[in-house]
Amino acid sequence: MARPDAAVFDVIETIFPLAPLRPRLAALDLGADLDLFFTRILRDAFALDATGTYKPFREIASGALEVLAAQRGLAPERSAIDAVLAGFATLDPAPDVRPAMEKLRAAGSGPALLREAGRQARWIAESAIRRRGEVAGEDRALELRAGA
């Protein structure tokens, strides 16, 4: 069987688990809403990208969090929202990521990260690169685009 030239991985929840954000959301009484919060970020990022509109990930995530809080009858301080958003830049790759990437390279398949919704997830990976050096050893980055 021929080996693939590359293996493509999604960034958020595949390379970077979101569970470490739950305590930050719990501080806003939204700890049970991590999945809903993230799906709303994705929804809004995809919709913006489909219309050719770019907004930074942080802006999209902030809007999703503010709306979610309002729907729950909460009015968190700006600093509390910023604390949740800052958590994205502190996410670490899952423990099995680096060994998997090294195994792929040793087999001759270069790993690539899929950055969904245009550029929206890039800053998470880049923050980890700045903090820890090489995230997962990505050789390439691919972006999904509306109409592609």
Side-chain angles (χ1 to χ4, degrees), residues 14-40:
T14 302
I15 301 294
F16 296 99
L18 293 178
L21 295 179
R22 196 172 306 281
R24 292 172 186 253
L25 284 168
L28 301 179
D29 292 327
L30 295 171
D33 291 315
L34 177 61
D35 293 337
L36 180 58
F37 171 50
F38 182 60
T39 57
R40 288 183 176 186

Side-chain angles (χ1 to χ4, degrees), residues 57-107:
F57 182 90
R58 189 176 179 90
E59 187 176 328
I60 296 168
S62 178
L65 186 54
E66 290 168 18
V67 169
L68 181 59
Q71 289 173 330
R72 299 288 188 260
L74 304 169
E77 300 280 328
R78 179 80 242 164
S79 60
I81 290 172
D82 288 343
V84 172
L85 301 178
F88 280 98
T90 68
L91 295 175
D92 288 322
D96 59 347
V97 169
R98 184 173 298 280
M101 299 299 171
E102 290 169 356
K103 190 171 187 174
L104 280 168
R105 267 201 209 86

